Amino acid sequence: MSPPATDLLSSSHLLMVGAGGIGCELLKTLVIAKATRIHIIDLDTIDVSNLNRQFLFRNKHVGMSKAIVAREAALAFLPPARRDQCSITAHHANIKQPEFGVEFFKQFDVVLNGLDNVDARRHVNRLCLAARVPLVESGTTGLVGQVTCHVRGVSACYECKPKPTAKAYPVCTLRNTPDKPIHTIVWAKDMLFKQLFGGDGVVTDLAEAENNNNNTNNEDSNPQEEQTNADDVAAKFFKPEEGEQPYDFLVRVFRRVFVDDIVKVNGMDDLWEKQGRRRPVTLPVDRYKSNDAVKKTASANDAKEGESSPDNEVLGLSASAAAALGYDDDHAVSFGCKSSNADAKEKCATAPPPDHDAHVFLASGVRLLRRKLALASSRGSDDGVAFDKDDALATEFVTAASNLRSRCYGIPRQSVFNAKGMAGNIVHAVATTNAIVAGLIVAEARKVLRYVAAAEGSDERAAVASKLRDTYVVPFPQCPGSKYCIQPTSPEEAHAGCYVCGGGAGGITLSLDTNVWTLGELASFLKKKLSMHLPLLETDEAGQLYEEGDDLDEDEVERYETLAKKRLAELPGDGIVDGTTVNLQDLSQDFNVKVVVRHVADLDEEEYPELCIWDVEGGIQPVANAPAQEEAEKNDGNGASAAGDDDDDLVMIDEDIEVLTENVQAPPAKKARRV
């Protein structure tokens, strides 16, 4: 790095958001490059699963703040003389806390993002726009990564371009007609696990199926009262009866979800008239209900003798039930067995006994139930057990339940490793990719700092702006003798219709049933959809209808809570009905947007799982999947771009890397440039 670039880094004030996989590599690179004024913000603590790629952390750091430990580890790289000159401030905090507002951001010359979720990225993007501070964004997935540069007035903001959104699955598909592994995994995690092991009052869509089967048609009855009673009946079924043993309870649940419910669904002939749709089959519950080995494993406490804990019972019920049963191969379908005999191991991995899933379902389920009861006893309240991808029992139960349901519907079963990835939305990270991306962030940051240092309107600033690049680690078959490289492209221009940086020019239309949706449901939906932190909702006719924040008066809180329960059409000012414009603000993000509501009744839940239609003018709405990579532009014989060489462009080639690139954002082919 040239001396001028080093001088800029050492004299500039930098904000790093995120101290995880990319953040560790980035902080190390910044310190080595002689950056001296750095703030780091990260809410997360160190987990054992981080240690394989977040190299600033060690076993002794597990449970400690990522930001604080990263600071200490990075400073340790430096000799004492330089250590005294390097100021690194660590914040173990949430970037959305009020102290990290627009005024806080204004003190920095550039913000460097190493976050792992779109919601937080949008929040930082809006603060950078409001504070007029450039943002260098980044992300990796496996061996694919990208670094993008966002400078107000020069390039697009982070939200100008479509981003992948979480896939929503219709409840009726999950409950009645699953046909993919992800369907059965979501059913096992979000319906069955939550219903069995959630806290008091939890009623999922699985229990609502019980409601529908038990409701009666009585013209004189109160529908709301009937629904409440039905909820109580449904919730009661998924709790052990008085005196019922945990193992017997799990057998009863097994019979309900893998036998009785399957019989009911089979009776819905209209579901199976579709050509090629296979009717589900029931499972033989009687062969599993009296297995002594499973009962023994389910009842065991694996806490080590003499091990101290606030709750030794809970500690002992955290161990793997599958391993205790001898099913210790997490990469084999349906809980395979590791064996010293190669033939036996291969046979088990390729065609494991179907009973393995049932055994693990019962054993892990009993242990989870016992843990839930032990926690409720020690806490004095039943808050339940939440799903955690790093909880062996939770992932085993979800995998087993999913595989059993897959057997019913003829869907391919999964290994614990694969199911854990899908249930936990895990993006497998590679340390090398993080290191490459961190280096690219610093390379781009030094250009941004040159831009900031140049006089506004000067030729120098314009020249530096032309050097800014978005850089992608992508498949590149045109590179002679290789498949992969780093591909720089010119940043996208700002989208005139962007509802974030376009001055509200982009219009949003939301179509829904205004006679069904409540104000609270609308506010919750818009808050999540638009990644707002503290939304304020108003209409011209009724004024302010909804607001969130810690500084509200008691009477304001009471008013908003009352209005939140009302149907949209019943709100003051003639309600929110067809054609009403809703004005949304988030003062913490300096964000304003208008949403036009259209009334549409009877939306098909299969086609619209969220029971609404979200339409953004100009086509900048979030998309389910990023577009596939287009063919890169043709190059001349020596591998150089027809556009000519550029000193700031970089290509790195690794002929041994192989990577899947489904659903990975690709650079615009028409702007591809390489040397």
Side-chain angles (χ1 to χ4, degrees), residues 527-543:
K527 178 180 180 179
K528 181 178 180 180
K529 197 75 172 179
L530 295 170
S531 297
M532 301 177 76
H533 179 45
L534 297 174
L536 185 154
L537 185 153
E538 63 183 12
T539 66
D540 293 338
E541 296 79 10

Side-chain angles (χ1 to χ4, degrees), residues 421-487:
M422 287 188 274
N425 297 316
I426 296 174
V427 177
H428 297 291
V430 176
T432 302
T433 311
N434 291 337
I436 293 171
V437 165
L440 292 169
I441 293 173
V442 175
E444 205 59 41
R446 72 181 179 94
K447 289 188 281 183
V448 170
L449 292 173
R450 286 168 55 196
Y451 173 86
V452 172
E456 187 172 352
S458 65
D459 292 341
E460 181 184 0
R461 173 170 277 199
V464 175
S466 69
K467 298 284 187 179
L468 298 178
R469 294 289 180 267
D470 290 347
T471 309
Y472 298 82
V473 183
V474 293
F476 203 94
Q478 284 79 7
C479 289
S482 178
K483 294 182 179 179
Y484 305 97
C485 66
I486 289 177
Q487 178 179 331

Side-chain angles (χ1 to χ4, degrees), residues 191 193-205 207-208 211 227-228 230-239 372 381-385:
M191 291 188 181
F193 184 95
K194 189 177 293 185
Q195 188 63 61
L196 291 177
F197 310 118
D200 273 343
V202 171
V203 179
T204 69
D205 289 301
E208 289 178 6
N211 297 351
Q227 183 63 43
T228 301
D231 286 348
D232 293 340
V233 171
K236 186 176 180 180
F237 176 88
F238 289 100
K239 291 183 178 180
K372 176 179 183 289
S381 62
D382 184 5
D383 298 325
V385 176

Side-chain angles (χ1 to χ4, degrees), residues 161 472 474-476 478 487-490 492 627-635 641-643 665-674:
K161 200 171 184 179
Y472 298 82
V474 293
F476 203 94
Q478 284 79 7
Q487 178 179 331
T489 74
S490 298
E492 295 282 330
Q629 182 186 10
E630 299 176 2
E631 182 182 3
E633 70 178 10
K634 302 298 181 181
N635 301 299
S641 168
Q665 183 73 44
K670 63 181 181 180
K671 294 189 178 182
R673 306 177 69 251
R674 70 184 184 91

Side-chain angles (χ1 to χ4, degrees), residues 142-220:
L143 296 167
V144 177
Q146 62 190 44
V147 174
T148 54
C149 189
H150 308 280
V151 180
R152 184 165 184 161
V154 175
S155 60
C157 81
Y158 174 75
E159 296 178 74
C160 277
K161 200 171 184 179
K163 301 294 183 297
T165 57
K167 174 69 174 176
Y169 301 99
V171 171
C172 49
T173 296
L174 299 177
R175 201 162 54 195
N176 298 329
T177 57
D179 59 7
K180 297 180 177 67
I182 188 63
H183 292 161
T184 61
I185 288 172
V186 172
W187 172 87
K189 172 192 168 188
D190 292 343
M191 291 188 181
L192 186 60
F193 184 95
K194 189 177 293 185
Q195 188 63 61
L196 291 177
F197 310 118
D200 273 343
V202 171
V203 179
T204 69
D205 289 301
L206 185 70
E208 289 178 6
E210 178 79 3
N211 297 351
N212 296 335
N213 292 331
N214 286 312
N215 282 345
T216 58
N217 294 321
N218 186 342
E219 295 181 359
D220 298 326

Side-chain angles (χ1 to χ4, degrees), residues 632-655:
E633 70 178 10
K634 302 298 181 181
N635 301 299
D636 59 21
N638 62 10
S641 168
D645 294 344
D646 189 310
D647 292 338
D648 289 320
D649 287 347
L650 171 68
V651 172
M652 297 181 63
I653 299 173
D654 187 336
E655 299 181 8

Side-chain angles (χ1 to χ4, degrees), residues 76-91:
F77 289 162
L78 302 176
R82 281 195 56 202
R83 197 177 305 158
D84 295 338
Q85 300 171 359
C86 186
S87 172
I88 303 177
T89 305
H91 305 270

